[in-house]
Amino acid sequence: FPVTIINTRKKKPTMLLWIDLETTGLEPADNYILEAAWLVTDNNCKSLTDVYTQIVETSPKAWVQLSQTPEVLEMHRHSGLLEDIDQSKRVMRIEDAEGIIMQQLVSCPREDDDYIMVAGFSVHFDLAFIREHMPRLARMLSHRVYDVSTLKTASYSRLESNIGLRARSLASFLQSSRPVLMKNVTTTLITKSG
């Protein structure tokens, strides 16, 4: 699968890869991705793809890690992620999920010198996991990030922060992107998640 290094000299990205990852812990080199949710938009936050969520196949070491970190285990139990992992028939290798995201990015219209910025809530965390576990995808992305948590802290602190969804990939993604995507994308996202 050919990978193109994206030029980041333009003033703003052509596409935003909105992504949220659920993991077994905080350290990309030591922990695993359990679930990914993503959406591609243009720089005006108009959807270019549907919202996708994917349970990721993990190593048996992931379950050992979870059993050793009760707070992470409880968070994933409370959100329903562990139950969904147990019942999911759509489990995919991380390399295959990476390939799907890359294919979606490549299929979206853009110019040769356009670039793709990763976007989301505290997305530096997700980008670190992408660099470790999805290196081909990482090479397609700008080093710049569109961090909604910064915007929320600076500009949206008075907006309602709870939209009544469970806290995990898709819910976290929807909650963080709501003020930014507004009605262009929000209606579609909430409809697809329900």
Side-chain angles (χ1 to χ4, degrees), residues 104-164:
Q104 289 173 350
L105 291 171
V106 168
S107 69
C108 292
R110 62 188 169 88
E111 301 294 322
D112 286 340
D113 61 345
D114 292 345
Y115 70 96
I116 305 161
M117 186 184 298
V118 87
F121 193 84
S122 298
V123 76
H124 60 280
F125 172 85
D126 303 284
L127 187 55
F129 271 85
I130 289 169
R131 287 178 178 142
E132 180 70 28
H133 298 278
M134 301 181 192
R136 296 176 305 148
L137 173 60
R139 288 191 296 272
M140 294 179 72
L141 303 172
S142 169
H143 65 282
R144 296 178 178 128
V145 296
Y146 192 86
D147 191 341
V148 178
S149 61
T150 302
L151 295 174
K152 184 177 177 183
T153 301
S155 304
Y156 297 108
S157 61
R158 288 180 276 225
L159 292 178
E160 177 182 318
S161 63
N162 183 357
I163 60 173

Side-chain angles (χ1 to χ4, degrees), residues 21-25 34 66 71-83 85 167-168:
L21 303 174
E22 293 301 326
T23 67
T24 59
L34 298 172
L66 281 173
E71 62 280 356
V72 175
L73 184 64
E74 181 53 34
M75 176 182 68
H76 291 324
R77 181 179 291 119
H78 178 73
S79 73
L81 176 58
L82 296 181
E83 182 180 345
I85 288 171
R168 68 175 234 224

Side-chain angles (χ1 to χ4, degrees), residues 8 21 29 43-44 49 56 60 62 68 82-83 88-89 99 120 134 138 146 157 166 172 175 177 180-181 183 189 193:
T8 61
L21 303 174
N43 62 358
N44 292 313
T49 67
V56 176
Q68 295 171 347
L82 296 181
E83 182 180 345
S88 181
K89 293 178 178 36
M134 301 181 192
Y146 192 86
S157 61
R166 297 180 297 176
S172 175
Q175 185 175 18
S177 62
V180 177
L181 300 178
K183 58 182 162 179
L189 295 178
S193 69

Side-chain angles (χ1 to χ4, degrees), residues 10-71:
K10 282 192 151 193
K11 290 184 179 178
K12 61 183 178 177
T14 299
M15 286 189 288
L16 298 171
L17 171 62
W18 295 86
I19 193 161
D20 187 51
L21 303 174
E22 293 301 326
T23 67
T24 59
L26 301 175
E27 297 299 326
D30 300 327
N31 296 116
Y32 299 89
I33 296 172
L34 298 172
E35 181 184 47
W38 70 91
L39 164 73
V40 180
T41 70
D42 65 14
N43 62 358
N44 292 313
C45 296
K46 181 181 175 212
S47 295
L48 299 176
T49 67
D50 289 333
V51 175
Y52 291 88
T53 60
Q54 181 61 57
I55 302 289
V56 176
E57 181 179 276
T58 59
S59 160
K61 293 177 185 177
W63 302 110
V64 172
Q65 286 178 340
L66 281 173
S67 69
Q68 295 171 347
T69 52
E71 62 280 356

